[in-house]
Amino acid sequence: LDLSLENKVADMSLADFGHKEMQLSEREMPGLMETIAKYGESKPLKGLKVMGSLHMTIQTAMLIKTLHALGADIRWASCNIFSTQDHAAAAIVDSGMAKVFAWKGETLEEYWWCTEQALTWPDGSGPDLIVDDGGDATMLIHKGVEAEKDDSIVKRAYDNKEFQIVMDRIALSLQENPGKWTRIAKNIKGVSEETTTGVHRLYQMEKENKLLFPAINVNDSVTKSKFDNLYGCRESLADGIKRATDIMMAGKSVVILGYGDVGKGCAQSMRGFGARVAVTEVDPICALQAAMEGYDVVTLDDVVETADIFVTATGNFNVITGAHMEKMKDEAIVCNIGHFDNEIDMAYLEGGNGCTVMNIKPQVDKWTLNSGRSIIVLAEGRLVNLGCATGHPSFVMSNSFTNQALAQIELASNDSLENKVYTLPKHLDEEVARLHLERLGAKLTKLTEAQAEYLGVDQNGPFKADHYRY
Ligand code: NAI
């Protein structure tokens, strides 16, 4: 690490463009602008150090602007090697609102360096609060603490290339700064986690009693997962595939693997373009939902030889295997919109199994397989909407990030939280939605006093019980 290094981004000459796009997004991010207006004066994050590991896009720049207005001292890294928008990173550095270590097209070694660099303030201390997306910052700290208790875990060799890189990084930090991770973990008031996969990791740690600080699950705010995952992907999946390949969707046979919130948005998107959409699922409830929406519910084996486009959206691993790819038709497009790149067995392609690659342009590769046929793999199997396009639009991210800002305020101000995973209360969820209605010209009906009494709710909400599923 270089603690004297203030920032590391690709190109500061892009700052002006970044500022202009940030300004344009303001109207589309009413939740964040309202949060700034409401808390800008009281500054609930004053004196607190916030580290973010979340795609360094224009929308994230607006989240940083919000956290800065709330008083935080911020350091940021991206949570994916391809997702940084270099003009957004440059604009934030230029504004001085945060220190940024992120650029589009990092190597994995650089990625983990950026994460640690963002976690380490110049005096060697760590953050008070973390904004995480996918849980990599949280994982690095937990593994670091584990290694400080038993360094045999960093001396072992691992098959997983990326995990080996993480462990090598921790090994280095044990030499540079002994006890660092334990000190950092002790100081942390909490983490707010953005996505399904990161939340899944947190609940696993909670169950095993391994969580070292409180966590807020932002993903399961209704105004996050039922909007960002669904309507966000409904727009950004097609954006990613089209920018990468210019393919015509209409008439194509598309398989969406996984029909959760993300899969639902993806399937609807592809159908909207006139594609013929099939869905794979393991969960009978989601499979039935897909069938009732009119999609073919199939197994991958049924369609692997005939489909034109494959999209993984499961949050699971090894969903498309090497054997599947060998059966695909020539120039089938294969991509992933789930958080990690292991949904597609990229290791099969990259691992000396006789497959050869030709790069078409950044984040678009044509792999020739043993079958003699080729497939087009987007963003090296990493999330296609952020790797090949610019992620979700501002409006939907304003919903997600208003939840993030509220979660940070809660972690900062509530000293009674335990090392558990919490969700935000429903009245805040409803408030986030309320903040976004006006921009769309939507008018809310008000319950009469008698109606509220009849339903047994307060006239001003919350309107639903916690078990309501939307
Ligand atoms: P979810 O849990 O709602 O949906 C995943 C679905 O995949 C589940 O219904 C599950 O039954 C199914 N599934 C699991 N294994 C499967 C298999 N082997 N074959 C077929 N189906 C399988 O999760 P959600 O919210 O839809 O998120 C999915 C992934 O996308 C996560 O990794 C999440 O972090 C990520 N995500 C990505 C975003 C992006 O912008 N790229 C935005 C939001 C979430």
Side-chain angles (χ1 to χ4, degrees):
L1 287 193
D2 180 356
L3 297 186
S4 66
L5 187 67
E6 290 243 306
N7 295 281
K8 192 164 163 59
V9 300
D11 183 357
M12 282 306 292
S13 74
L14 299 171
D16 187 45
F17 175 32
H19 288 306
K20 288 176 186 157
E21 285 218 329
M22 282 178 71
Q23 189 280 319
L24 270 187
S25 75
E26 284 183 12
R27 196 182 301 273
E28 284 288 281
M29 304 193 90
L32 288 185
M33 299 317 285
E34 179 62 27
T35 306
I36 293 174
K38 187 166 174 188
Y39 297 102
E41 211 161 302
S42 59
K43 299 210 181 307
L45 303 182
K46 196 170 174 200
L48 294 174
K49 292 176 285 178
V50 176
M51 181 272 179
S53 164
L54 199 160
H55 311 291
M56 184 59 251
T57 60
I58 289 290
Q59 293 71 32
T60 302
M62 295 300 288
L63 170 62
I64 292 173
K65 181 183 165 118
T66 308
L67 298 173
H68 177 258
L70 269 45
D73 167 8
I74 309 166
R75 294 170 79 82
W76 214 267
S78 204
C79 63
N80 184 282
I81 59 173
F82 293 137
S83 64
T84 297
Q85 287 178 259
D86 290 322
H87 64 312
I92 288 299
V93 170
D94 183 57
S95 70
M97 290 188 289
K99 310 293 183 206
V100 181
F101 303 89
W103 57 95
K104 189 174 181 79
E106 295 159 2
T107 64
L108 283 172
E109 282 84 0
E110 288 166 341
Y111 172 82
W112 285 99
W113 174 86
C114 286
T115 306
E116 188 180 355
Q117 187 80 16
L119 273 168
T120 318
W121 265 252
D123 63 359
S125 68
D128 298 291
L129 297 162
I130 296 177
V131 178
D132 219 351
D133 183 349
D136 278 353
T138 301
M139 192 264 273
L140 185 62
I141 296 167
H142 280 75
K143 286 289 164 207
V145 171
E146 223 178 299
E148 279 166 7
K149 288 197 187 119
D150 171 11
D151 69 354
S152 70
I153 69 162
V154 292
K155 291 184 173 151
R156 237 180 275 157
Y158 295 90
D159 286 341
N160 182 313
K161 190 174 117 201
E162 182 163 5
F163 197 67
Q164 184 67 56
I165 291 169
V166 176
M167 287 316 205
D168 290 348
R169 174 124 289 284
I170 291 173
L172 205 62
S173 70
L174 295 188
Q175 291 166 17
E176 277 178 5
N177 193 343
K180 162 181 183 169
W181 297 109
T182 308
R183 275 196 306 278
I184 286 186
K186 272 210 181 105
N187 185 56
I188 291 176
K189 293 169 86 70
V191 57
S192 55
E193 169 56 52
E194 174 79 2
T195 197
T196 318
T197 287
V199 161
H200 186 67
R201 281 179 167 184
L202 287 171
Y203 283 114
Q204 274 177 334
M205 280 193 274
E206 180 187 44
K207 201 163 138 200
E208 293 163 9
N209 255 327
K210 285 187 177 159
L211 203 52
L212 297 173
F213 35 80
I216 294 185
N217 164 359
V218 166
N219 182 66
D220 287 291
S221 289
V222 180
T223 47
K224 199 285 180 181
S225 51
K226 299 293 173 187
F227 290 81
D228 166 324
N229 306 26
L230 179 73
Y231 304 120
C233 291
R234 189 170 72 177
E235 302 200 10
S236 61
L237 170 67
D239 192 7
I241 296 175
K242 283 189 162 291
R243 289 199 207 199
T245 65
D246 287 330
I247 193 96
M248 177 116 192
M249 307 282 181
K252 295 292 188 304
S253 164
V254 179
V255 189
I256 306 294
L257 298 108
Y259 195 71
D261 291 317
V262 169
K264 288 178 174 73
C266 293
Q268 210 186 335
S269 168
M270 297 293 103
R271 179 150 76 185
F273 279 96
R276 290 170 292 144
V277 180
V279 165
T280 76
E281 251 299 341
V282 294
D283 178 337
I285 296 177
C286 298
L288 185 60
Q289 285 180 311
M292 306 272 291
E293 284 293 335
Y295 300 111
D296 287 334
V297 179
V298 299
T299 68
L300 182 53
D301 287 324
D302 294 336
V303 290
V304 70
E305 291 170 31
T306 51
D308 301 292
I309 302 175
F310 298 83
V311 182
T312 53
T314 67
N316 203 344
F317 82 112
N318 244 357
V319 179
I320 295 183
T321 63
H324 289 132
M325 291 187 272
E326 290 288 357
K327 287 189 192 148
M328 289 176 185
K329 72 181 188 192
D330 200 33
E331 294 187 1
I333 294 170
V334 181
C335 62
N336 163 52
I337 196 164
H339 191 79
F340 286 121
D341 61 336
N342 55 358
E343 301 208 16
I344 300 166
D345 186 5
M346 292 302 296
Y348 174 81
L349 295 176
E350 293 161 357
N353 293 306
C355 306
T356 55
V357 67
M358 180 176 77
N359 180 255
I360 311 252
K361 63 181 183 183
Q363 286 84 54
V364 182
D365 293 301
K366 182 165 168 170
W367 282 91
T368 301
L369 293 103
N370 294 300
S371 64
R373 293 181 293 271
S374 299
I375 58 172
I376 315 287
V377 179
L378 307 186
E380 296 177 18
R382 295 168 200 278
L383 7 84
V384 63
N385 57 339
L386 283 137
C388 295
T390 55
H392 298 346
S394 297
F395 187 78
V396 89
M397 293 316 294
S398 177
N399 285 269
S400 306
F401 288 164
T402 305
N403 281 292
Q404 278 288 3
L406 294 173
Q408 289 288 306
I409 295 172
E410 174 66 11
L411 291 168
S413 58
N414 188 342
D415 285 327
S416 62
L417 296 175
E418 296 170 46
N419 295 349
K420 288 185 180 162
V421 188
Y422 297 86
T423 49
L424 287 172
K426 193 169 286 291
H427 72 92
L428 292 181
D429 218 348
E430 290 180 357
E431 186 56 24
V432 173
R434 201 187 302 274
L435 292 175
H436 291 86
L437 286 175
E438 195 185 327
R439 170 81 181 105
L440 303 179
K443 275 195 202 149
L444 211 51
T445 302
K446 194 161 171 57
L447 280 176
T448 65
E449 226 172 287
Q451 284 175 326
E453 203 180 320
Y454 180 77
L455 290 177
V457 299
D458 189 288
Q459 239 182 321
N460 298 311
F463 297 97
K464 299 288 196 296
D466 280 337
H467 59 253
Y468 186 79
R469 293 194 173 93
Y470 295 88

